[in-house]
């Protein structure tokens, strides 16, 4: 049956492939013939368009009004009578002449639809082919080719039309003669589906879908399809349809070739081939069955041996008894495979035994549960920890065994969530909680919870570590902290923790004995509230340094309640995990009565070390060989260099050759006994810094230089402040423009440029008219607003090369660069006066403000800046005498 089925399928597939190729050949041939027919129709229509165009070029323009002229024209062109059924003329006045047979007829009445089409064609001015219509004259299905006739000016004077009888057209008969086969036919329709040519003449001018039913090929053609396809007509008969669209008009030529006729030979060949294939397959199948039955006898024996091995009747050695050949090799392969399987199963059993032994001997309790909470694994450590033997635990709900009663509801909710997706907030994390012992007491445990998927369900695994001893240790730590509190309260030093708001969060008892303050009452209060503003201000510098992350050590003499005390304190920043300073620890000792010299020296050395390490100064000591013997911790803060790594190294090696070459001449002088200071630029982090270094020689008793102390300060901030102060000293703080100092520099530079470049400069001196009245009536605040607005208008009115400055009060000056003559200076001054006149807004009210101005042009090399300013000032007073709100050019 298998051979029969396979043979029939192969034969059928081969026949179908052959039929598909044959269909493709037939369809392509049919489409090629249809394409040739479409080209013939296009050529016929094109030739008729050309003929009609040549007639339109020669027709007299009066033929549209006179039937005799029309008749004479037709008589001169007998060829047109052969190609067209009738000739027509349609004028712009709406008259229609036509030829009927060989004679011209009078005007013909048109229906509104025809008149509208002809008017559109007349307006378009192009050759058009009309939709198919039933002729009024002949009653035949026809079309008309319309050609515009142009007048002398190139406009369309009328339309010349030639009608064609579709039922008797010779070129359509040529197309019909190319029908495929005996039962096939060719037809022509418009893109709108109107039939122009069809074997059934009754269907002419009828829509192709006028009859009920559906034809897929026709619908494809109406949507623009070209080519061939196989489809059933509306009667259900299959055929090969081909379609080609014409180029000259919107016609579609189609052809139908019945499938029964096209594939008759293939259908007959299919029946014969299938019958022959079935007969051949039956004979071959019978022979194959006999051969396979003989070939499979060893395989049947192998099958029986495998069943005997599975049943335990025989062992795998029976598989080695088969002889040579494929079955023998297969039997040997089965033997090797089963031997490997038994070895793998033994290895798995050994691995499971090992894992089970590891879990069994694990020091922590191991418990596994299914997704409903039923215990599936319970090791020896779990027996010891919780008191339940394995037999009592496995198969029971874990919640009833070790989960405290108060937590069972939350546990069961979590297990339901875990069962749905094998996830939960407690998975893959370690947490501390209490578990229940069999005897009812709770045990603190550390739980590590995991999940695994087995046989389509989730299982929870947990290691539980008994932390009873750790809890006892933590309790001991708490007790130790209590003892440390007692120790802190017993220490003869002030110990406190102060947060960023300078509020006390911890104080020891020594505050009471030393300062008479209740330590508990200090908590939550600020240093200012506890010690007073004066005392707190004296510590503010150290507190702010500690809050910036600096470790502070200080010694100071303070007065509290009239008593002088010498205090030594340390402020240690409390830096959080994010690097921010949360507060600082403070320890202060009363060292007033410290008399012991050794203790004083030790404290002094400690303070000195703490001071040098926390000072924002690089401190170092170089011996006679210029090797570092001491460096403070600031090297690490500034340059990231551990000072310990530089000890014993030469200065050139430690600080780099570039910096050493800069410092070397100053070091030479210091080793000669001079105290030397110099500045250099160095990078700290990603920014340049200005450093000032001072070398102080250490002199021995004999006057020899023993070494050099190096003190380096970061003066970058001070330099920036100096530059800022210099800038502020030259800017008027109220208006933001140049002040007198900067003006004097600008004027002197402008005069120098004028002398060098021989390009004159002019100076305007101006003030605000009646400014004192504004101050007296509106106040100085209003006056300041007027001054700022006045300065803004001056700046907006001058050129980019000019400079505006305020000298004092309401006195302003303007330096005009490159003013060639008095007329140009006059234009600039008038612009300034006009810009000031619009009302100012002062405290929400309009205020009329004007200005008086004196302008002086620089008179050359002989005139100095003060002389030029004096002449401008004189011109200003002249402007005031002239009535103000104006300007005067100094002579």
């Amino acid at each position: 049956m298998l051979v029969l089925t396979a043979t029939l399928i192969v034969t059928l597939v081969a026949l179908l492939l052959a039929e598909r190729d044959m269909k493709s050949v037939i369809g392509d041939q049919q489409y090629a013939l249809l394409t040739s027919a479409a080209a013939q129709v296009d050529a016929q229509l094109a030739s008729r368009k050309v003929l009609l165009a040549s007639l339109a070029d020669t027709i007299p323009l009066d033929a549209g009004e006179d039937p005799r002229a029309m008749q004479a024209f037709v008589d001169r062109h007998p060829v047109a009578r052969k190609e067209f059924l009738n000739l027509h003329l349609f004028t712009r006045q709406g008259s229609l002449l036509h030829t009927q047979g060989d004679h011209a007829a009078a005007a013909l009445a048109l229906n509104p639809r025809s008149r509208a089409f002809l008017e559109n064609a007349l307006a378009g001015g192009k050759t058009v082919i009309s939709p198919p219509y039933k002729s009024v004259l002949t009653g035949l299905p026809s079309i008309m080719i319309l050609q515009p006739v142009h007048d002398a000016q190139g406009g369309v004077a009328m339309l010349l039309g030639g009608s064609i009888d579709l039922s008797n057209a010779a070129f359509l008969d040529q197309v019909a003669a190319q029908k495929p086969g005996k039962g096939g036919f060719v037809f022509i329709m418009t893109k709108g589906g109107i039939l122009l040519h069809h074997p059934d003449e009754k269907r002419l001018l009828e829509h192709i879908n006028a009859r009920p039913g559906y034809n897929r090929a026709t619908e494809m053609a109406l949507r623009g399809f070209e080519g061939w396809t196989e489809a059933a007509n509306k009667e259900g008969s299959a055929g090969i349809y081909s379609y080609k669209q014409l180029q000259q008009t919107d016609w579609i030529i189609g052809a139908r070739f019945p499938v029964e006729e096209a594939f008759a030979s293939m259908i007959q060949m299919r029946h014969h081939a299938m019958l022959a294939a079935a007969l051949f397959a039956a004979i071959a199948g019978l022979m194959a069955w006999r051969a396979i039955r003989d070939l499979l006898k060893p395989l049947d024996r192998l099958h029986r041996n495998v069943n005997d091995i599975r049943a335990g009747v025989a062992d795998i050695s029976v598989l080695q008894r088969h002889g040579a050949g494929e079955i023998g090799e297969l039997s040997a392969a089965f033997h090797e495979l089963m031997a490997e399987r038994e070895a793998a199963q033994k290895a798995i059993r050994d691995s499971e035994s090992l894992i089970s032994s590891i879990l069994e001997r694990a020091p922590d309790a191991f418990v596994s549960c299914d997704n409903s909470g039923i215990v599936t694994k319970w090791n020896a450590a779990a027996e010891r920890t919780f008191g339940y033997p394995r037999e009592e635990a496995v198969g029971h709900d874990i919640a009833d065994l070790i989960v405290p009663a108060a937590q069972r509801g939350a546990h069961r909710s979590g297990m339901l969530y875990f069962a749905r997706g094998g996830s939960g907030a407690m998975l893959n994390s370690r947490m501390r909680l209490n578990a229940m012992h069999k005897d009812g007491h709770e045990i603190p445990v550390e739980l590590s919870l995991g999940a695994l998927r087995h046989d389509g369900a989730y299982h929870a695994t947990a290691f539980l570590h008994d932390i009873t001893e750790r809890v006892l240790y933590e309790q001991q730590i708490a007790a130790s902290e209590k003892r440390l509190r007692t120790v802190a309260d017993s220490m003869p030093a002030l110990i406190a923790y102060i947060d960023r708001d300078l509020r006390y969060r911890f104080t020891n008892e020594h505050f009471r004995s030393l300062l008479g303050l209740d330590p508990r009452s200090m908590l939550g209060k600020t240093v200012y509230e506890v010690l007073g503003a004066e005392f707190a201000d004296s510590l503010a510098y150290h507190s702010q340094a500690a809050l910036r992350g600096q470790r502070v050590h200080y010694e100071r003499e303070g007065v509290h309640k009239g008593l002088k005390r010498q205090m030594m304190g340390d402020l240690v920043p409390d830096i959080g995990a994010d690097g921010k300073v949360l507060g600082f620890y403070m320890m202060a000792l009363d060292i007033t009565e410290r008399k012991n010299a050794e203790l004083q020296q030790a404290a002094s050395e400690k303070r000195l070390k703490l001071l040098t390490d926390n000072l924002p100064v690089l401190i170092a000591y170089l011996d006679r060989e210029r090797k570092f013997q001491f460096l403070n911790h600031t090297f690490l803060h500034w340059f990231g260099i551990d000072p310990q790594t530089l000890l014993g190294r030469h200065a050139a090696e430690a600080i780099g050759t570039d910096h050493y070459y800069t410092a070397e001449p100053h070091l030479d002088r210091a080793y000669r006994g001079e105290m030397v200071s110099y500045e250099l630029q160095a990078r700290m982090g990603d920014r340049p810094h200005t450093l000032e270094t001072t070398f102080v020689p250490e002199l021995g008793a004999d006057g020899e230089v023993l070494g050099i102390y190096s003190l380096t300060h970061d003066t970058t901030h001070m330099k920036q402040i100096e530059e800022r102060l210099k800038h502020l000293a030259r800017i008027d703080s109220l208006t933001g423009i140049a002040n007198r100092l900067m003006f004097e520099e600008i004027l002197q530079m402008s005069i120098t440029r004028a002398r060098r470049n021989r390009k004159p400069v002019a100076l305007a001196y101006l003030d605000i008219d009646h400014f004192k009245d504004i101050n007296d009536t509106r106040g100085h605040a209003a006056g300041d607003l007027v001054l700022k607005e006045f300065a803004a208008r001056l700046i907006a009115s001058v050129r980019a090369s000019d400079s505006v400055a305020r000298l004092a009060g309401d006195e302003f000056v303007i330096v005009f660069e490159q003013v060639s003559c008095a007329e140009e200076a006059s234009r600039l001054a008038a612009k300034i006066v006009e810009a000031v006149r619009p009302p100012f807004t002062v405290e929400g009210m309009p205020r009329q403000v004007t200005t008086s101005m004196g302008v002086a042009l620089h008179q050359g090399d002989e005139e100095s800046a003060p002389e030029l300013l004096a002449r401008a000032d004189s011109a200003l007073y002249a402007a005031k005498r002239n009535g103000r709100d104006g300007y005067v050019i100094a002579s």
Side-chain angles (χ1 to χ4, degrees):
M1 291 302 297
L2 179 62
V3 173
L4 175 62
T5 303
T7 304
L8 292 176
I9 291 175
V10 170
T11 304
L12 181 61
V13 169
L15 290 172
L16 291 177
L17 291 175
E19 290 179 8
R20 185 190 65 181
D21 294 339
M22 185 70 74
K23 287 181 181 179
S24 178
V25 170
I26 294 173
D28 291 342
Q29 289 177 347
Q30 182 175 328
Y31 180 65
L33 292 173
L34 196 67
T35 301
S36 174
Q40 293 178 15
V41 174
D42 274 329
Q44 292 290 337
L45 292 175
S47 65
R48 282 165 172 75
K49 285 184 179 180
V50 172
L51 175 61
L52 204 61
S54 64
L55 294 175
D57 291 338
T58 59
I59 191 170
L61 295 178
D62 60 349
E65 304 295 337
D66 186 0
R68 288 176 299 174
M70 177 69 177
Q71 182 63 49
F73 174 75
V74 172
D75 292 341
R76 289 196 303 271
H77 297 85
V79 176
R81 298 300 308 121
K82 295 179 181 179
E83 298 296 334
F84 296 104
L85 177 64
N86 292 311
L87 292 176
H88 308 268
L89 277 177
F90 181 78
T91 66
R92 282 193 172 276
Q93 290 73 32
S95 60
L96 178 65
L97 294 177
H98 65 278
T99 61
Q100 185 172 2
D102 294 330
H103 302 284
L108 180 68
L110 299 177
N111 58 50
R113 182 175 179 181
S114 299
R115 178 176 292 276
F117 174 77
L118 291 173
E119 288 177 352
N120 288 337
L122 189 66
K126 296 180 181 179
T127 305
V128 295
I129 298 177
S130 71
Y133 63 92
K134 188 173 184 180
S135 175
V136 177
L137 300 174
T138 64
L140 302 175
S142 306
I143 61 168
M144 182 182 295
I145 301 176
L146 295 171
Q147 172 66 37
V149 179
H150 298 279
D151 56 19
Q153 290 75 29
V156 179
M158 53 189 175
L159 293 175
L160 175 62
S163 61
I164 300 173
D165 179 8
L166 294 178
S167 61
N168 296 308
F171 66 91
L172 294 182
D173 292 339
Q174 295 174 1
V175 172
Q178 298 183 14
K179 70 174 184 176
K182 297 181 179 180
F185 61 89
V186 177
F187 60 95
I188 301 176
M189 62 181 175
T190 67
K191 288 185 179 180
I194 302 301
L195 286 168
L196 306 178
H197 178 76
H198 196 274
D200 185 0
E201 294 185 356
K202 296 179 180 179
R203 298 190 62 187
L204 294 180
L205 299 185
E206 181 184 89
H207 196 280
I208 195 166
N209 287 329
R211 294 187 304 162
Y214 174 78
N215 188 323
R216 179 181 60 84
T218 300
E219 297 302 322
M220 290 172 59
L222 293 177
R223 291 196 297 268
F225 170 74
E226 285 188 320
W228 71 273
T229 184
E230 186 176 354
N233 62 11
K234 294 182 179 180
E235 287 76 22
S237 175
I240 296 177
Y241 287 86
S242 303
Y243 296 96
K244 178 65 180 179
Q245 298 185 13
L246 298 186
Q247 300 295 324
Q248 297 295 325
T249 184
D250 64 341
W251 295 1
I252 300 171
I253 297 183
R256 184 181 188 275
F257 193 2
V259 169
E260 292 181 355
E261 181 181 351
F263 303 144
S265 59
M266 286 193 299
I267 295 171
Q268 184 178 6
M269 181 179 67
R270 184 193 305 168
H271 294 313
H272 293 165
M274 292 297 293
L275 181 61
L279 180 60
F280 170 78
I283 297 172
L286 180 60
M287 295 175 64
W289 175 76
R290 291 292 302 272
I292 290 172
R293 195 178 76 170
D294 294 337
L295 289 173
L296 292 184
K297 286 182 179 179
L299 189 61
D300 183 60
R301 186 166 59 253
L302 176 61
H303 179 261
R304 290 196 303 272
N305 290 338
V306 171
N307 286 335
D308 291 342
I309 293 171
R310 293 181 62 185
V313 178
D315 57 18
I316 63 174
S317 61
V318 297
L319 298 176
Q320 295 178 307
R321 299 175 184 172
H322 290 271
E326 291 84 350
I327 305 302
E329 293 177 358
L330 179 62
S331 178
F334 266 120
H335 178 268
E336 293 177 3
L337 182 63
M338 295 189 70
E340 291 176 0
R341 178 174 175 272
E342 289 187 355
Q345 288 179 340
K346 183 177 182 302
I348 292 172
R349 289 192 296 270
D350 292 343
S351 176
E352 291 177 350
S353 177
L354 177 61
I355 295 173
S356 178
S357 298
I358 291 173
L359 293 177
E360 187 65 24
R361 291 170 174 77
D364 292 338
F366 175 77
V367 179
S368 65
C369 304
D370 61 17
N371 56 21
S372 62
I374 302 301
V375 176
T376 58
K377 183 68 176 179
W378 186 272
N379 70 347
E383 293 181 341
R384 295 192 300 270
T385 302
F386 302 111
Y388 290 99
R390 184 180 288 103
E391 295 76 15
E392 295 183 15
V394 175
H396 292 79
D397 193 337
I398 188 70
D400 297 332
L401 298 176
I402 64 173
V403 178
Q407 302 173 14
R408 289 175 184 170
H411 166 80
R412 289 194 168 94
S413 298
M415 289 302 296
L416 289 174
Y417 183 76
F418 171 79
R420 288 196 296 269
S423 60
M426 298 174 64
L427 287 178
N428 302 318
S429 62
R430 180 177 296 179
M431 65 199 69
R432 180 184 293 190
L433 45 77
N434 287 339
M436 186 69 68
H437 192 273
K438 182 178 181 180
D439 61 11
H441 75 276
E442 292 188 358
I443 306 169
V445 296
E446 189 174 68
L447 171 67
S448 297
L449 192 61
L452 58 86
R453 187 175 179 85
H454 180 67
D455 288 341
Y458 289 100
H459 292 254
T461 62
F463 283 93
L464 300 101
H465 178 61
D466 186 352
I467 58 172
T468 303
E469 294 182 358
R470 187 193 302 176
V471 172
L472 292 175
Y473 178 73
E474 291 173 351
Q475 292 172 353
Q476 292 173 0
I477 292 294
S480 177
E481 290 178 353
K482 181 178 180 181
R483 288 193 296 271
L484 289 175
R485 173 72 191 197
T486 303
V487 171
D489 287 341
S490 302
M491 288 183 64
L494 300 178
I495 301 175
Y497 178 81
I498 301 172
D499 64 14
R500 288 196 61 84
D501 298 326
L502 297 180
R503 295 184 182 276
Y504 288 100
R505 297 303 178 189
F506 173 84
T507 54
N508 71 336
E509 192 65 25
H510 196 60
F511 278 92
R512 188 191 306 275
S513 58
L514 184 63
L515 303 178
L517 299 173
D518 182 3
R520 295 183 179 179
S521 66
M522 296 169 61
L523 299 179
K525 295 181 180 179
T526 65
V527 177
Y528 287 86
E529 294 172 343
V530 174
L531 301 178
E534 182 179 357
F535 189 85
D537 286 337
S538 67
L539 293 173
Y541 176 79
H542 305 300
S543 302
Q544 293 303 320
L547 291 176
R548 290 195 299 270
Q550 301 176 13
R551 182 167 181 153
V552 179
H553 176 81
Y554 66 90
E555 288 186 17
R556 62 184 299 277
E557 184 180 84
V559 179
H560 183 72
K561 294 184 178 180
L563 296 177
K564 289 184 178 181
R565 296 183 183 275
Q566 187 71 26
M567 302 296 295
M568 179 179 71
D570 288 280
L571 307 181
V572 180
D574 178 20
I575 301 177
D578 57 355
K580 295 182 179 179
V581 178
L582 306 177
F584 58 87
Y585 297 95
M586 183 207 75
M587 185 176 73
L589 297 173
D590 182 2
I591 59 172
T592 305
E593 298 180 359
R594 182 172 297 172
K595 302 298 183 183
N596 189 300
E598 183 178 354
L599 293 178
Q600 287 181 353
Q601 183 179 358
S604 177
E605 291 178 357
K606 180 179 179 181
R607 289 194 300 273
L608 179 60
K609 176 64 176 174
L610 187 63
L611 178 64
T612 56
D613 283 345
N614 289 280
L615 280 176
V617 180
L618 295 178
I619 302 175
Y621 180 78
L622 295 165
D623 62 15
R624 289 180 178 179
E625 298 178 359
R626 303 192 181 189
K627 294 182 179 179
F628 283 110
Q629 299 301 329
F630 171 79
L631 301 100
N632 69 340
H633 209 254
T634 308
F635 277 88
L636 181 62
H637 296 321
W638 285 12
F639 301 111
I641 301 174
D642 185 358
Q644 296 298 320
T645 63
L646 303 180
L647 295 178
R649 297 168 64 181
H650 192 274
E653 180 186 0
I655 67 174
T657 55
D658 292 341
H659 289 318
Y660 181 74
Y661 289 150
T662 304
E664 188 174 21
H666 306 288
L667 273 174
D668 293 340
R669 292 173 55 193
Y671 276 104
R672 291 195 294 267
E674 297 181 43
M675 187 170 70
V676 185
S677 296
Y678 73 99
E679 286 187 355
L680 76 156
Q681 297 292 322
R683 295 195 70 82
M684 294 170 56
D686 57 351
R687 294 185 300 173
H689 285 251
T690 302
L691 304 179
E692 181 181 309
T693 301
T694 301
F695 294 138
V696 181
E698 180 188 12
L699 302 177
D702 56 357
E704 292 291 329
V705 176
L706 303 177
I708 300 295
Y709 289 100
S710 172
L711 306 175
T712 302
H713 300 264
D714 185 357
T715 59
T716 305
H717 185 59
M718 295 299 297
K719 291 290 183 182
Q720 293 172 349
I721 292 175
E722 288 178 9
E723 293 299 325
R724 179 62 178 165
L725 290 175
K726 289 179 182 178
H727 178 72
L728 292 176
R730 301 168 72 246
I731 298 297
D732 178 60
S733 59
L734 177 63
T735 61
I737 63 177
N739 62 7
R740 178 181 289 274
L741 176 61
M742 190 171 180
F743 160 71
E744 292 173 351
E745 296 174 359
I746 294 172
L747 180 59
Q748 189 60 49
M749 288 189 292
S750 297
I751 292 174
T752 301
R753 283 194 298 272
R755 290 171 178 170
R756 182 174 62 251
N757 302 326
R758 299 302 176 186
K759 294 180 180 179
V761 65
L763 176 65
Y765 201 126
L766 62 165
D767 66 4
I768 300 174
D769 296 332
H770 308 296
F771 181 74
K772 186 175 181 301
D773 293 341
I774 297 175
N775 277 339
D776 293 343
T777 58
R778 298 291 183 91
H780 288 283
D784 290 345
L785 294 175
V786 171
L787 289 173
K788 288 193 281 187
E789 176 64 20
F790 186 77
R793 294 193 184 187
L794 294 183
I795 293 172
S797 303
V798 300
R799 300 168 301 177
S801 60
D802 301 333
S803 302
V804 180
R806 179 187 177 206
L807 299 183
D810 64 332
E811 296 180 358
F812 293 80
V813 289
I814 303 174
V815 178
F816 294 110
E817 300 276 356
Q818 301 182 14
V819 178
S820 59
C821 59
E823 288 76 9
E824 184 177 358
S826 178
R827 288 195 301 272
L828 295 173
K831 181 180 178 183
I832 299 297
V833 172
E834 187 63 27
V836 175
R837 284 175 180 161
F840 285 44
T841 300
V842 181
E843 296 179 343
M845 301 292 292
R847 173 79 185 201
Q848 192 69 38
V849 177
T850 59
T851 183
S852 298
M853 181 189 307
V855 183
L857 275 73
H858 187 243
Q859 294 180 343
D861 298 342
E862 303 80 20
E863 187 174 41
S864 64
E867 293 171 344
L868 178 62
L869 182 63
R871 287 200 305 115
D873 189 21
S874 298
L876 169 63
Y877 281 99
K880 290 184 176 181
R881 288 193 298 272
N882 291 344
R884 305 178 188 270
D885 190 20
Y887 63 93
V888 169
I889 307 298
S891 58

